[in-house]
Amino acid sequence: LAAGLLPFIPVGRAMAATAIDFGGLYEKQTVFSALAEKLNGSTVEMGGFMAPPLKAEATFFVLTRMPMGVCPFCETEADWPSDIVVVYSDDPISVVPFNFPITVTGTLELGVYKDVEMGFVSRVRIVDAVFRRG
């Protein structure tokens, strides 16, 4: 019986993920928290909302604290809001309506990064990510 259930048991990063929320990312406006620094490079799980993607067949989206009807990209990392995280997936994403909560699991990356394809700058990312509703 147990062997028949194995395909339905989460494995890999889903089991090893540490939960972090938007409030846990920063100590002050632009200073990462001790928790975020400790989890940098580790597998995390974070809840939020998917902002509408910038293009079809995208492999990234913005995770927001509150539902947003538009994508909230900024010009510089100095203007980066503390309530958004860029999420990169290996595969094109399936868009979820902006007001449906989702949970993202992947590797946390901190620090300034300029997206090669789109040119936007981010301070916080979750890479190699998967997500689910709820």
Side-chain angles (χ1 to χ4, degrees):
L1 179 66
L5 295 176
L6 287 178
F8 303 103
I9 297 172
V11 295
R13 80 176 135 228
M15 290 179 68
T18 301
I20 189 168
D21 60 19
F22 287 96
L25 290 173
Y26 295 95
E27 182 178 312
K28 346 183 208 188
Q29 192 169 10
T30 60
V31 178
F32 293 118
S33 70
L35 175 61
E37 292 283 359
K38 177 183 169 190
L39 294 175
N40 189 22
S42 298
T43 302
V44 298
E45 182 175 273
M46 186 173 209
F49 299 87
M50 181 185 289
L54 290 174
K55 65 177 193 160
E57 301 295 316
T59 57
F60 68 93
F61 65 91
V62 175
L63 184 71
T64 63
R65 180 190 308 245
M66 302 298 293
M68 297 183 129
V70 296
C71 192
F73 287 117
C74 299
E75 292 291 322
T76 70
E77 61 95 11
D79 298 328
W80 185 258
S82 62
D83 58 355
I84 66 174
V85 172
V86 177
V87 176
Y88 287 97
S89 172
D90 292 333
D91 300 310
I93 60 165
S94 298
V95 177
V96 173
F98 75 92
N99 58 345
F100 283 49
I102 63 171
T103 301
V104 175
T105 304
T107 304
L108 181 66
E109 285 187 355
L110 304 178
V112 177
Y113 172 76
K114 184 174 182 177
D115 185 272
V116 177
E117 182 182 350
M118 300 300 290
F120 62 83
V121 177
S122 65
R123 298 195 72 228
V124 181
R125 291 156 307 286
I126 298 177
V127 299
D128 301 324
V130 295
F131 67 91
R132 67 183 186 282
R133 281 187 174 186

